Amino acid sequence: MEKLLKRNIKIIYALAFFHMFMLIVPVLVPFFQSKGLTLAEIFYLQAVYAATIVLLEAPSGYFADVMGRRMALVIGAVAHGLGYLVLNFADDFFGLMVFEIILGVAMSLMSGADLALLYDSEQALAREDQDHTPSVAHLGFFKSVAEGLGALLGGVLALWSFDLMILIQSLTAWMCLALSLLLIEPPLDPTDPSSVSTPGRRNVVSFREIWQHLTQGDPILRLVFIALPMYSLTSINVTWLVQPYWDSMGLSLAMFGVLWCVQSMTVAVANQCGFALEKKKGAVFALLVIGIMPMVGIFGMAWASGWIGIAMGFVLFFCRGLYQVILVNALNRRVPGRFRATVNSLNSLMFRLGFIATGPALGFVADHHGVSMALNLVGVGSALGFVLIMLPLIRAVKNLQSARQQSDVSPT
């Protein structure tokens, strides 16, 4: 069993790699525009994608907790392959909407289940440093490297042919299914008395218990649960603005691929630096960096021009790599394994709802008032989030550290 669990971790890394190996991403805006879509319509399509995930996120996470993470990943991988198959034949807004809906189904099933299965496998192996397990950092690293390499190849293929790029993308997408079939389901945590197995099911999960755990327990958990989708929303909004930002500078599609690759590699490096920063400088310092860097990067892009503006954007994506490790780990190690997939899905649900509310509006602003104005709005939102969410989270961490210090010095 130990050998299979160790293999599980490697397969999850490979699955994450091929899931994020998306040739289309760095040139998605020009590709959609080649189909006759405006920037506002592109953001609307992404809102449809997000809405699909919103409808399925919590049910799919619950499905993964009850019926097993492996089954959720297998079904999600089938949808992932079908989505890119459909993209080969999508020539108008309706066809692209069908593609986005199918891909949304895949994402809703896979996004929380892979991380939950990774933590379950680590827990079953009884790894020592559960608070700072490197697996979540490695998972983010492989995703970012895959996105970077896919971007580099996608940018080159886009110069040759969009159709060839989509064909290769649809073939590589099926690797997710092949890998998911090799996974095994880790055993339930024997130390958790509320993990209950029933015939034909993995677990019994109560939504009431999940709600109580999130709202009535650890204050750090509550704030992290809010902070994570907030920073994800900031990153994704800027991500959808960087391509028109580059296009306004007259850059070629090949350069789009190069820049997206560098951007993804920046995230990958930050993934590997996240735990080191937290261990060396402390959680409070790490949270301050995560809170301040997005504002520097976003306002830098909005106010600077040319390559300086592009370089400032990398600051935001370095921060993305940090919070993907530090905040994700802070959330998952405070959540019992029996409903970890559901909590991750609920967290993603909050992020998707935020994008539905803000994405189309930002697309409209970018179309009618320029990309810089849209970036400024995202920057203002990031500043408000720092004041309303990150500063209270930092205070909660300081209070916990003070309580631990008093406990250490108190007589026993």
Side-chain angles (χ1 to χ4, degrees):
M1 176 62 75
E2 182 178 352
K3 183 178 180 180
L4 292 175
L5 288 171
K6 289 180 178 178
R7 189 188 72 167
N8 244 20
I9 295 173
K10 294 178 181 178
I11 293 173
I12 293 170
Y13 293 157
L15 178 62
F17 181 92
F18 282 101
H19 188 209
M20 296 304 297
F21 186 73
M22 293 183 286
L23 307 175
I24 190 175
V25 166
V27 293
L28 194 58
V29 172
F31 171 70
F32 283 163
Q33 289 175 333
S34 74
K35 303 293 184 180
L37 273 64
T38 66
L39 191 57
E41 288 174 325
I42 293 170
F43 270 87
Y44 180 77
L45 271 184
Q46 296 314 302
V48 170
Y49 170 74
T52 303
I53 297 178
V54 163
L55 292 174
L56 298 176
E57 194 73 73
S60 64
Y62 186 80
F63 176 86
D65 280 330
V66 173
M67 300 303 294
R69 288 80 154 96
R70 179 183 180 275
M71 184 178 294
L73 288 170
V74 169
I75 297 173
V78 171
H80 183 68
L82 288 175
Y84 282 107
L85 180 63
V86 167
L87 187 58
N88 285 275
F89 308 100
D91 288 325
D92 55 15
F93 183 84
F94 177 77
L96 292 171
M97 182 181 293
V98 172
F99 157 70
E100 294 284 5
I101 290 172
I102 297 175
L103 215 62
V105 173
M107 180 61 73
S108 66
L109 284 162
M110 298 178 71
S111 62
D114 59 349
L115 186 59
L117 187 62
L118 178 65
Y119 269 88
D120 288 349
S121 300
E122 287 276 8
Q123 193 171 53
L125 287 168
R127 294 283 173 88
E128 292 182 359
D129 189 6
Q130 287 295 312
D131 284 354
H132 295 90
T133 175
S135 296
V136 65
H138 295 337
L139 183 67
F141 176 81
F142 279 106
K143 286 182 177 181
S144 298
V145 169
E147 192 174 354
L149 294 178
L152 201 59
L153 180 58
V156 174
L157 289 173
L159 286 177
W160 183 267
S161 167
F162 277 136
D163 291 338
L164 177 61
M165 178 188 68
I166 298 304
L167 176 62
I168 295 175
Q169 176 74 82
S170 62
L171 293 174
T172 57
W174 289 106
M175 282 298 299
C176 292
L177 177 60
L179 289 165
S180 63
L181 291 171
L182 298 175
L183 293 166
I184 66 165
E185 195 73 31
L188 292 173
D189 182 6
T191 65
D192 187 352
S194 39
S195 293
V196 180
S197 295
T198 58
R201 298 190 176 199
R202 169 183 166 82
N203 195 11
V204 173
V205 181
S206 165
F207 274 104
R208 180 180 179 182
E209 183 185 5
I210 295 172
W211 176 254
Q212 289 176 341
H213 186 83
L214 290 173
T215 60
Q216 299 177 15
D218 185 353
I220 294 178
L221 173 61
R222 290 198 299 272
L223 290 166
V224 168
F225 188 74
I226 299 171
L228 187 53
M230 181 191 72
Y231 283 100
S232 297
L233 177 61
T234 299
S235 293
I236 199 65
N237 277 329
V238 175
T239 297
W240 281 104
L241 291 170
V242 292
Q243 290 180 26
Y245 184 80
W246 297 338
D247 187 55
S248 67
M249 300 177 189
L251 300 179
S252 69
L253 293 181
M255 185 56 69
F256 275 36
V258 172
L259 287 174
W260 200 281
C261 178
V262 174
Q263 184 175 278
S264 298
M265 293 304 177
T266 301
V267 177
V269 170
N271 287 150
Q272 295 300 303
C273 295
F275 283 144
L277 175 67
E278 186 178 4
K279 281 189 171 183
K280 187 174 181 180
K281 296 294 186 178
V284 170
F285 181 83
L287 292 174
L288 278 172
V289 170
I290 290 173
I292 293 173
M293 287 185 78
M295 293 184 285
V296 173
I298 296 167
F299 285 124
M301 288 179 65
W303 299 345
S305 60
W307 288 100
I308 296 177
I310 291 174
M312 294 303 294
F314 293 144
V315 175
L316 170 70
F317 289 96
F318 188 85
C319 175
R320 179 180 177 180
L322 293 180
Y323 78 68
Q324 282 178 348
V325 172
I326 295 172
L327 293 183
V328 167
N329 186 64
L331 174 70
N332 279 273
R333 63 189 173 90
R334 288 175 167 83
V335 175
R338 64 186 182 278
F339 52 73
R340 185 173 285 130
T342 303
V343 170
N344 279 296
S345 292
L346 289 172
N347 202 249
S348 180
L349 171 64
M350 293 173 62
F351 153 62
R352 301 296 175 183
L353 284 171
F355 185 80
I356 290 172
T358 61
L362 283 174
F364 178 85
V365 171
D367 267 338
H368 293 83
H369 302 285
V371 175
S372 293
M373 175 62 74
L375 286 168
N376 275 313
L377 290 176
V378 179
V380 170
S382 180
L384 289 173
F386 177 75
V387 174
L388 298 176
I389 304 299
M390 185 55 76
L391 289 181
L393 176 57
I394 290 172
R395 284 196 295 270
V397 171
K398 285 182 176 179
N399 291 337
L400 177 62
Q401 292 173 346
S402 298
R404 285 178 175 174
Q405 290 173 356
Q406 292 176 3
S407 176
D408 289 341
V409 300
S410 62
T412 57

